[in-house]
Amino acid sequence: MLDRLLLLLLFLIGFWGIIARRNIIKKIFGLTIINSAVVILFILEGSRIGNSTPIMSSGIADVVDPVPQALMLTAIVIGVCITALALAMAFRLYRSAGTFDIDEIRRKIHDEAS
Amino acid sequence: MMKRQRVISFLQTFLALGAVLAVVIPVFLSDFPWPTSARDYLEAHGVADSGARNLVSAIYLGYRAFDTLGETIVLLVAVSGTIGIIAQSGVSLARGFGEEALDRKTASPRLRHRRTELIDVVTGKLGPIVLIFGLYVMLFGHLSPGGGFQGGVVIASGIVFIALGSKNEDSTRLQEAGMLARIEAAGFLSLILAALSGMVTGSGFFGNPLAGMGASPVSYIVILNAVIGLKVGAGIGFMCVAMMGRVE
Amino acid sequence: MKPPDIMMAPVYLPILGAALAFCAKAFFQGRLGKGVEYAGVFVGLGLPWLALAWGLPLVLSGEALQIVMGNWFGGVGILYRFDGLGWLVILLGYSVATAAYIYALGAGPRGPGFSGIFLIQTAALAATAMTVDLFNLFVCLEVMGIASYILVAKSEKPGAFLAAFSYLMVSATAMVFFLIGFFGLYRLTGALSYQGIAEGLRSLPENGGIIALVSLSLVVAAVAIRVAVMPLYGWLPDAHALAPHAISAVLSGVLIKTPLFALSRILMVLPAGPEAGRLMGYAGAVTALAGVTIALAQKDTKRLLAYHSISQIGYVVAAWGAALALGVHTPAGLALMTAAFLHALYHALFKGLLFLTIGTTTDLAGERDVYLLRGAAGMLRRAGEKVPVTLVSFIMGALAISAIPPLNGYASKAALSYALKGTWQDGFLFLAGIGTTASFIKLSRIYWPVRKRAPAPAESAAGKTIHPAVQFSQGLLALLCLAGGLAGPLLSRFVMTLLGGDASPAASLPPQLFSLQNLQKTGLVAAGGIILFLLASTKPGKGLMHLIRRRPRGFQGLFLSFTLGLAGLSLWLFFQSRPVGW
């Protein structure tokens, strides 16, 4: 129970980072944190039904659930790719607006457009 | 006005977090017993179906290989898009990595870094060792923890080490833009052709073409691991080395 | 080649084409590179039409092909289903994608990188339409998403990066919530396919209880944010308005509809699905009216079109939701779903057409403000368009969206109001129709000749010509709009057959499409639209528009609306599952 409470706390911290922090880079941190929290949740819960790693050699039985592990491989890679793309966009926004603050950027773009 | 905005912002955050908490708690903290049906099936049949002893590899390169293809596509598109977005801004990437870096006047002439001798020596010498380790992780993915993605990322770090540690630009061709892009594109084409090959032998798209042919189906998994590893390594290496080229 | 292989062709052919395009970029230069790239595009956008043609007899006879990809074990492997719904959605996706790519050959972004990513987006659309596996849906939505973030950012306008960034952050966060929902459902059932999950849930007490309801609402909210119904629409106006024109056409036409129909596969089998559909239907009706109200207030041409997309998807979702609530296999439900799909298809055609023509016009004039731009018809003529293809196409698109016969919008809106007859949703849609007419009168003003007193707008496009590919794609879409309208009843029966069931007597379209009653209704809407337009041009009208335009929108608002929508859906499902007493 404690481990899941900690994961929930981690998830909430990440989500708070996305919505409450004004710095774009910190928003991207938040996204990475919530991704990690969910990945750890899957692996943790999937590991409760077994005792050994899912590599079958003679005499290995009662392995953990390999399905969450395989699925989370995909989820981790996708998360990394999204983070890279988001950082590239943050870089462009910084170069055009001179700041990482999202409210400032929005204001500058509105002023330019109108 | 600032105070009012801050209060509104605080209220919005509070409301959003409360809503999320209310919805997510039942799922995070549930005590429902984890299902064992998938694990039981895989324990019994996984090795026979796919030939790989690593059940996780059997899943993501066998049963659910299409998800892996999707993941590879995401990586390819992300690398291409990231480099494209950065290069369009006119920042000089390492020579050859920008979209039209070769005919821009602002292309950086050479990588100029203030590096210490320590980095040159250590990373330059470690680079090939890391590459070998990456190849091992990649090719033994069906027998021990590892596989295409993990090995590919280690290969990418090997490429970065070599790029960091090379004094002149012709120590190896692995750090050139053109070479890495070619490896990546060829890797992706090979992956999709390997996926389609199952159709020719009758086991369907992404079916194991060697199933039922007498040969052990594990060779297909090894080939897939190798192709994915090369593609991922080249792609991530391309992205990292491109960003290393800043004019001081 | 076995049937399952041909069935998967719309998915793997574009991927193969994209691989060729990326190879062209890496290996070849010059003419050879272009040749390989266009070969890839032909493989990816041209050949799948053959697969669609092959599949038509199969789905017309009511059969469906369901396979496990690669012939692995079904409990762990990925299931795909090729049936009438999948065929129709793939048809929608490919027609708009092909037209948009032809346009891009003339005017839009070019290059092997663009072609490759465009083809991958198309492949992801086809896969989303056919998948019946929950985790595979996650992967397909992510592929579709990442291709679209990059394509939106390809236009070099100042706001495009902010739009792409907001879209990315909201979508990526929503997909993490999707994963949590998937976690809940896998935990309860141990299955990954929709059918497996449904069977697992039904074998549990209370169909899974709170965990199942909450997980379902997480999955639905995450997919719904891509469909952009209220309150989840915040990212759409910026992203669609600032993307390159060909990409706006594909975004508005296809990318907001495919997740909707993929979601219907889930909601058709899961226990609490119909109730979730019902709530989304209500939200859709509200969206239709609210979207058009905001649209009427817009200054920027493409942003006006983007808000109209939100409103029109509201139409589709209203009917779709009602169909799911009644059950798609009942006659009434089938009629509603047919109307929903018909409107989705027609909207894709005429909205794509509108984005392309407005794009050509504003590029030529160098001005996007509806209040400032005038005399575009003359500009188009001076740019070398002897036959006014762009102008006529725009007029046809505007008539289509205002539901004027004989264009396709008339047919699909008649179908919607017939299927929704008597409900409050129909009233909302009627009012929204008035708003649509008004705002398109406003938009069409850019083509009117310049008044003598007003200063002539700066023609910053001296010397620009209009590429024949641009004219061809616009003309093609316009013809399809016209054909869709004239062949309305035929197409409606065709869609109904494909969606399951033979053409039953309770057909989706009113028996007499061009009956006096319908034409009277259209006349009423048109008259109401003209009156509304005149009202909006008055001083108090303009003030109200200004107020609506200036309402606060922020990054935080996107997430707040997502979480509130999510919580609202969970509460709704919870209260609907209680038998009595509330």
Side-chain angles (χ1 to χ4, degrees), chain B residues 89-113:
Chain B
S89 72
V91 160
S92 32
L93 299 171
R95 176 158 62 173
F97 283 87
E99 297 283 315
E100 310 97 19
L102 287 176
D103 38 43
R104 267 178 188 269
K105 293 200 196 77
T106 55
S108 66
R110 88 186 284 116
L111 296 171
R112 252 176 291 162
H113 288 262

Side-chain angles (χ1 to χ4, degrees), chain C residues 166-294:
Chain C
S166 307
Y167 178 26
L168 183 154
M169 290 301 287
V170 164
S171 275
T173 312
M175 293 314 278
V176 177
F177 280 88
F178 184 106
L179 269 186
I180 301 179
F182 170 74
F183 173 78
L185 290 174
Y186 179 72
R187 183 177 202 138
L188 288 177
T189 60
L192 297 136
S193 61
Y194 302 160
Q195 265 170 328
I197 294 179
E199 280 163 12
L201 285 181
R202 280 184 220 281
S203 69
L204 290 172
E206 274 191 27
N207 285 339
I210 297 205
I211 304 181
L213 294 177
V214 163
S215 306
L216 180 64
S217 62
L218 281 163
V219 169
V220 170
V223 180
I225 205 168
R226 294 202 185 239
V227 178
V229 280
M230 296 225 162
L232 305 167
Y233 72 95
W235 57 271
L236 192 147
D238 290 325
H240 287 207
L242 295 166
H245 309 306
I247 305 301
S248 296
V250 176
L251 286 175
S252 267
V254 190
L255 285 192
I256 51 180
K257 307 202 178 78
T258 312
L260 185 70
F261 291 105
L263 190 59
S264 58
R265 287 194 196 276
I266 300 180
L267 296 183
M268 281 198 277
V269 286
L270 254 61
E275 291 307 315
R278 190 197 303 265
L279 183 66
M280 276 188 74
Y282 295 162
V286 172
T287 308
L289 192 53
V292 79
T293 314
I294 308 180

